[in-house]
């Protein structure tokens, strides 16, 4: 079984709809991250959480919100989806403070019409 | 503002060729540099480098970091079609609320033809 899972894997929605993307991990990591990937732009950080009570904005948080329901679960919401939020979204986790290595989920491809 | 720049943006080679991918960075309070390989799905971890001049090697892949000149290279020898992927470079910062965050470059798209 995958250590980091994301649901849904693909989603098509319409402008103005509220969308939630979910991430679960079995790695026992405290730190979790949400990124979006657009062609030619690499991965950009949306939000990150270092533990259940700690939520921080990344470089492109406008139009997004998150919820850390448990150590293993971190959800990303688009309150009112717009077409330029069409992208590939990745969740990632990382473990102890001695390493920066992040482990990625399989991604969610979101299309906003 | 942190900056990570990869070059070239894309590269097409034939099987058996050797390739060198570049990553330069400008980051406050540098802590580590990481390389990932991304095929059609999630990025998968290749290397993490923290010290200058020490080569990390895994099979046909190797990487080295130069903290004075602020860059890293990823070498792939005797390329195979399975090496076709996007290669991502990321830099980790230390200290305060930035600890553990990564800044990614745009990626290099490598295509290996048979």
């Amino acid at each position: 079984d995958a250590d980091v899972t994301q649901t849904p894997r693909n989603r098509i929605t319409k402008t103005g709809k509220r969308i939630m993307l979910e991430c679960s991990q079995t790695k026992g990591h405290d730190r979790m991250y949400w990124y979006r990937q657009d062609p030619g732009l690499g991965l950009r950080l949306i939000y990150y959480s270092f533990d259940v009570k700690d939520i921080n904005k990344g470089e492109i948080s406008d139009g997004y919100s998150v919820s850390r329901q448990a150590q293993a679960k971190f959800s990303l919401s688009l309150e009112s989806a717009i077409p330029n939020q069409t992208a590939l979204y990745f969740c990632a986790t990382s473990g102890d403070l001695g390493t920066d290595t992040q482990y990625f989920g399989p991604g969610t491809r979101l299309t906003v019409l | 503002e942190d900056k990570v720049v990869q070059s070239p943006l894309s590269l097409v080679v034939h099987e058996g060729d050797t390739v060198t991918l570049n990553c330069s960075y400008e980051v406050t309070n540098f802590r580590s540099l990481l390389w990932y390989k991304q095929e059609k799905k999630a990025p998968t971890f290749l290397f993490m480098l923290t010290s200058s001049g020490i080569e990390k090697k895994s099979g046909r892949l190797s990487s080295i970091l130069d903290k004075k000149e602020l860059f890293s290279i990823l070498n792939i020898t005797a390329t195979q079609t399975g090496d076709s992927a996007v290669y991502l470079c990321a830099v980790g910062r230390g200290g305060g609320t930035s600890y553990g965050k990564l800044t990614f470059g745009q990626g290099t798209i490598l295509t290996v033809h048979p």
Side-chain angles (χ1 to χ4, degrees), chain B residues 36-97:
Chain B
Y36 284 85
K37 177 182 182 182
Q38 184 179 23
E39 295 171 271
K40 293 184 179 175
K41 303 177 184 176
T44 54
F45 172 74
L46 294 174
F47 299 112
M48 185 175 79
L49 303 130
T50 56
S51 301
S52 274
I54 299 175
E55 184 182 57
K56 292 234 175 168
K57 200 168 170 64
S58 176
R60 296 176 292 103
L61 278 66
S62 63
S63 183
I64 198 160
L65 173 67
D66 186 328
K67 291 168 73 173
K68 182 179 177 186
E69 300 297 330
L70 308 183
F71 77 93
S72 173
I73 60 172
L74 175 69
N75 279 319
I76 308 175
T77 59
T79 51
Q80 301 171 357
T81 55
D83 295 326
S84 295
V86 177
Y87 289 85
L88 295 165
C89 171
V91 174
R93 294 177 63 189
T97 57

Side-chain angles (χ1 to χ4, degrees), chain A residues 83-103:
Chain A
N84 78 1
Q85 291 177 313
T86 293
L88 187 55
Y89 289 84
F90 287 105
C91 173
T93 74
S94 62
D96 64 63
L97 294 178
T99 177
D100 293 329
T101 306
Q102 294 183 13
Y103 299 90

Side-chain angles (χ1 to χ4, degrees), chain A residues 31 33 35 37 40-43 45 48 50 90 97-102 104-106, chain B residues 31-32 34 36 38 41-43 45 48 88 92-93 97 99-102 104-106:
Chain A
R31 294 182 279 168
Y33 310 81
Y35 293 91
Q37 187 174 36
L41 294 178
L43 291 160
L45 184 64
Y48 62 103
F50 284 173
F90 287 105
L97 294 178
T99 177
D100 293 329
T101 306
Q102 294 183 13
F104 287 82
Chain B
R31 177 176 143 89
S32 64
L34 295 89
Y36 284 85
Q38 184 179 23
K41 303 177 184 176
F45 172 74
M48 185 175 79
L88 295 165
R93 294 177 63 189
T97 57
Y99 198 94
K101 288 171 56 181
L102 297 179
F104 283 82
Q106 327 92 296

Side-chain angles (χ1 to χ4, degrees), chain B residues 16-30:
Chain B
D17 289 349
T18 293
V19 298
T20 298
L21 310 183
N22 303 290
C23 177
S24 64
Y25 61 91
E26 295 176 26
V27 172
T28 305
N29 200 9
F30 172 89

Side-chain angles (χ1 to χ4, degrees), chain A residues 29-34 45 47-57 66-71 73-74 92-94, chain B residues 101:
Chain A
H29 288 168
D30 286 326
R31 294 182 279 168
M32 298 185 74
Y33 310 81
W34 275 105
L45 184 64
Y47 270 95
Y48 62 103
S49 170
F50 284 173
D51 65 44
V52 175
K53 297 178 182 178
D54 176 76
I55 303 286
N56 302 281
K57 292 182 178 180
V66 290
S67 172
R68 185 81 185 265
Q69 299 95 325
Q71 186 207 35
K73 295 184 182 296
F74 192 34
T93 74
S94 62
Chain B
K101 288 171 56 181

